[in-house]
Amino acid sequence: MTDPAAPSEAEAAAAASEEEEVAAVAAAVAGTSTTLEVAAANPLRDPRDKRLPRVAGPCVMVLFGVTGDLAKRKLLPAIYDLGNRGLLPPGFSLVGFARRDWKDQDFAQLTHDAVKAHARTPFREEVWKQILEGIHFVPGEFNDDGAFDALAMALAEIDQTRGTGGNYAFYLSVPPKFFPVVVEQLKRTGLSDAPEGSWRRVVIEKPFGHDLQSAHELNEITTSAFPESSIFRIDHYLGKETVQNIMALRFANNLYEPIWNRSFVDHVQITMAEDIGIGGRAGYYDGIGAARDVIQNHLLQLLALVAMEDPTSFDANSLRREKEKVLNAVRLPANLARGTARGQYSAGWQGGEKVVGYLQEEGISADSITETYAAIKLEIANRRWAGVPFYLRTGKRLGRRVTEVAVVFQRAPHLPFSKDDTEILGQNALVIRVQPDEGITVRFGSKVPGTAMEVRDVSMDFAYGESFLESSPEAYERLLLDVMIGDPPLFPHQREVELSWKILDPIEEFWTTQGQPEPYDSGSWGPESADAMMQRDGRTWRRL
Ligand code: BG6
């Protein structure tokens, strides 16, 4: 008899596969074999693994902004993790560009430290050595023509020595004010023009502007040098496994879609709560605020994935078309004072530590009206969703870090029980736990064991950690790989960016007339006005 708790053969093979893969990679990267051969060389690798054909050709990743937080915490570790998983192309080279008087070794040291501190997969000397062979640094200011000429020469040399064939991805991990000058330089040096048989791509990070007008201008600048098909706009939420799983949940199953509409759904709550404050990001965050920082991009993308119709396929055009349609159908509340709320954290306690308020953070002026909490009620004017509110909320210094999408269903039309027996029965809900504790929960009523017919909420859980032996890659691993492969579905199109600003602009405009946001204690769940907004609709925020 088999032990039901024991991993199945397939699961055991998959676990072994991951370890074997890492070992096989190390061996293969040392030689000249391709990633495909690495995978093929691994007998334990599950042949159904869809990553198999997703192999990038030789290329160079040029990183602008190597000393920034994003590069150190996310991008450089993600590159290493890809290498460790055998997913970097042969000859892969990494070029850093920054205003530092550095040599290759200095950039290599920064990369090494970042990898050691933040990589998801174990540190392996062999993998690191291979990455190290392809590391280069070009010092310079963004407005220094000589520095960009040197970059062009360095890239040409790398093509010769590492066989990267003129394929370059330029990652602009720099504040948007530098985009125009960097793009202009790439144009001037001819680096943005792909010679026959090679490719040139540019990767830009949010914020894509700070309103519709500036987003449009930014796009004009970028498209003056790169064709739309070569522009990869990163919204890292789309790279998260749990976010991609929204599409699997909805469109690979027959269970949910029939009830995924106004006839069954009461409302939807999308929450992105963070326990951290703004840390050292005052320069970026002040004047931007919670809504521009994450609602314009991450939360509206979540809304689009939850509410869109099924795309005819998962290619970029079909997927983007459906997201655009639904974003186009989003309607703001008629009364913005009643349908939105904003707040600013004040001092309080978090994780047993006393923390300062937003206005006392370093670099923030004492009269800043930037919101660190935002809640918005939206509706979607189409047949599927008419009358179903979508409540979006986000905030810094809230009770805990949690991102989730909760689809809350209407109550059963009739309850053939006594009132007392269903007193603590809530509404059915399906909760997509984006992070942490990734998974899905279904909440429904169940009889409490005993002689009475008492009904109470229970939940059924799917947890990634329990169902899969594979660990989830970091969002940036997936997205960087997609850039190198040239696979665009997980990158928002400019039209989505502009539609999202169209939703947000009137709210931002309204808020600027409202003075100081309502203060809320650090470690709490936000301002009272956000609770009042829900109460007016006879609802409450989920307690997380
Ligand atoms: C970024 C925001 O896009 O997402 C940050 O600019 C925020 O303010 C971060 O902290 C959160 O990302 P994650 O993946 O930790 O939820």
Side-chain angles (χ1 to χ4, degrees):
M1 224 175 95
T2 50
D3 173 2
S8 68
E9 239 172 60
E11 286 169 329
S17 154
E18 201 155 339
E19 275 175 29
E20 286 286 317
E21 182 186 309
V22 168
V25 169
V29 283
T32 51
S33 56
T34 65
T35 312
L36 195 57
E37 286 164 340
V38 174
N42 179 353
L44 287 177
R45 191 156 184 172
D46 186 341
R48 292 164 304 176
D49 188 337
K50 292 291 181 284
R51 290 173 306 184
L52 217 51
R54 303 190 77 248
V55 180
C59 63
V60 187
M61 175 81 58
V62 183
L63 192 53
F64 296 97
V66 291
T67 53
D69 214 42
L70 184 73
K72 287 193 279 197
R73 297 176 68 87
K74 300 287 183 188
L75 305 180
L76 297 169
I79 287 172
Y80 169 83
D81 287 326
L82 283 173
N84 215 350
R85 292 166 58 208
L87 296 173
L88 282 183
F92 173 81
S93 302
L94 174 66
V95 174
F97 184 106
R99 286 170 294 177
R100 299 280 164 117
D101 190 15
W102 274 3
K103 301 268 180 293
D104 291 349
Q105 310 80 285
D106 300 300
F107 176 45
Q109 186 63 46
L110 174 123
T111 308
H112 180 267
D113 294 349
V115 167
K116 280 244 156 155
H118 301 292
R120 181 179 65 86
T121 59
F123 188 81
R124 295 171 59 88
E125 210 48 65
E126 312 87 287
V127 176
W128 167 246
K129 268 197 195 139
Q130 291 306 312
I131 290 178
L132 184 61
E133 276 178 17
I135 282 191
H136 302 268
F137 185 76
V138 177
E141 302 275 341
F142 295 145
N143 57 9
D144 176 358
D145 288 1
F148 276 80
D149 293 342
L151 174 64
M153 275 163 62
L155 288 170
E157 203 180 312
I158 291 169
D159 285 343
Q160 294 303 316
T161 54
R162 299 195 47 91
T164 40
N167 301 321
Y168 314 145
F170 300 102
Y171 199 122
L172 272 57
S173 180
V174 295
K177 64 176 179 207
F178 295 122
F179 287 6
V181 52
V182 176
V183 168
E184 193 48 51
Q185 290 282 18
L186 295 176
K187 209 155 82 172
R188 186 190 60 77
T189 47
L191 284 172
S192 55
D193 286 332
E196 188 73 27
S198 65
W199 53 258
R200 305 285 158 94
R201 297 182 186 132
V202 66
V203 186
I204 49 179
E205 269 286 339
K206 57 164 270 282
F208 311 119
H210 58 268
D211 58 13
L212 179 59
Q213 173 71 22
S214 55
H216 186 74
E217 285 163 12
L218 184 67
N219 194 49
E220 298 269 282
I221 291 162
T222 322
T223 50
S224 72
F226 292 90
E228 173 63 37
S229 60
S230 301
I231 303 173
F232 288 72
R233 299 176 188 83
I234 292 226
D235 180 320
H236 79 282
Y237 263 59
L238 295 180
K240 289 184 191 274
E241 279 292 334
T242 41
V243 173
Q244 292 165 52
N245 199 29
I246 295 174
M247 293 183 273
L249 175 84
R250 292 192 56 199
F251 306 128
N253 298 300
N254 208 16
L255 193 55
Y256 310 109
E257 212 51 19
I259 53 170
W260 210 259
N261 56 51
R262 67 188 306 272
S263 305
F264 295 90
V265 175
D266 177 72
H267 72 280
V268 177
Q269 294 189 20
I270 303 181
T271 302
M272 176 183 167
E274 295 189 279
D275 51 4
I276 52 170
I278 54 150
R281 298 169 78 216
Y284 157 74
Y285 198 87
D286 202 39
I288 294 279
R292 285 191 177 103
D293 184 34
V294 301
I295 293 186
Q296 185 271 340
N297 36 76
H298 309 329
L299 267 57
L300 284 175
Q301 283 290 327
L302 286 176
L303 175 143
L305 292 175
V306 169
M308 70 183 185
E309 297 302 316
D310 46 335
T312 47
S313 79
F314 287 106
D315 68 42
N317 282 342
S318 314
L319 184 60
R320 288 163 166 177
R321 197 175 310 126
E322 294 308 329
K323 285 196 285 171
E324 282 162 30
K325 262 164 60 187
V326 78
L327 288 171
N328 222 342
V330 167
R331 298 287 176 270
L332 295 178
N335 183 334
L336 289 176
R338 293 171 68 82
T340 70
R342 64 190 187 126
Q344 194 181 64
Y345 63 81
S346 45
W349 289 87
Q350 205 142 37
E353 266 183 38
K354 198 158 176 38
V355 294
V356 298
Y358 182 73
L359 297 179
Q360 291 81 49
E361 295 276 16
E362 211 180 308
I364 302 295
S365 69
D367 56 357
S368 168
I369 61 161
T370 299
E371 85 281 355
T372 59
Y373 178 101
I376 298 175
K377 173 184 171 181
L378 298 171
E379 296 210 3
I380 298 175
N382 63 19
R383 179 176 282 252
R384 186 192 280 260
W385 295 115
V388 177
F390 281 67
Y391 299 100
L392 275 47
R393 66 171 159 165
T394 183
K396 301 266 187 210
R397 286 260 184 257
L398 296 183
R400 72 186 190 94
R401 173 177 184 254
V402 50
T403 299
E404 62 156 52
V405 176
V407 178
V408 182
F409 292 91
Q410 297 163 12
R411 285 183 188 281
H414 170 67
L415 290 173
F417 308 96
S418 84
K419 220 171 171 215
D420 293 349
D421 287 343
T422 54
E423 228 169 29
I424 38 179
L425 176 68
Q427 284 166 272
N428 297 162
L430 186 143
V431 182
I432 299 159
R433 304 194 308 269
V434 175
Q435 65 188 28
D437 185 21
E438 291 80 0
I440 294 170
T441 302
V442 177
R443 189 180 69 188
F444 59 101
S446 174
K447 179 181 175 303
V448 181
T451 49
M453 194 48 169
E454 192 189 342
V455 187
R456 181 195 294 169
D457 285 335
V458 293
S459 49
M460 217 154 57
D461 261 1
F462 146 61
Y464 275 75
E466 283 168 20
S467 299
F468 299 117
L469 289 168
E470 299 88 347
S471 56
S472 297
E474 274 279 325
Y476 279 100
E477 285 172 54
R478 169 66 197 255
L479 296 175
L480 286 175
L481 181 63
D482 284 0
V483 168
M484 291 187 278
I485 292 174
D487 203 13
L490 297 181
F491 300 83
H493 190 277
Q494 176 67 10
R495 287 190 297 268
E496 293 167 65
V497 171
E498 296 194 6
L499 284 167
S500 305
W501 282 121
K502 263 191 196 161
I503 297 168
L504 207 61
D505 276 0
I507 299 176
E508 291 286 353
E509 233 167 78
F510 168 71
W511 282 347
T512 51
T513 65
Q514 299 298 297
Q516 199 65 29
E518 184 189 338
Y520 61 94
D521 290 343
S522 287
S524 72
W525 280 99
E528 279 170 19
S529 52
D531 294 334
M533 175 182 125
M534 289 299 257
Q535 273 156 21
R536 279 192 289 273
D537 287 357
R539 302 190 172 96
T540 52
W541 291 112
R542 282 171 42 81
R543 287 167 55 173
L544 303 173

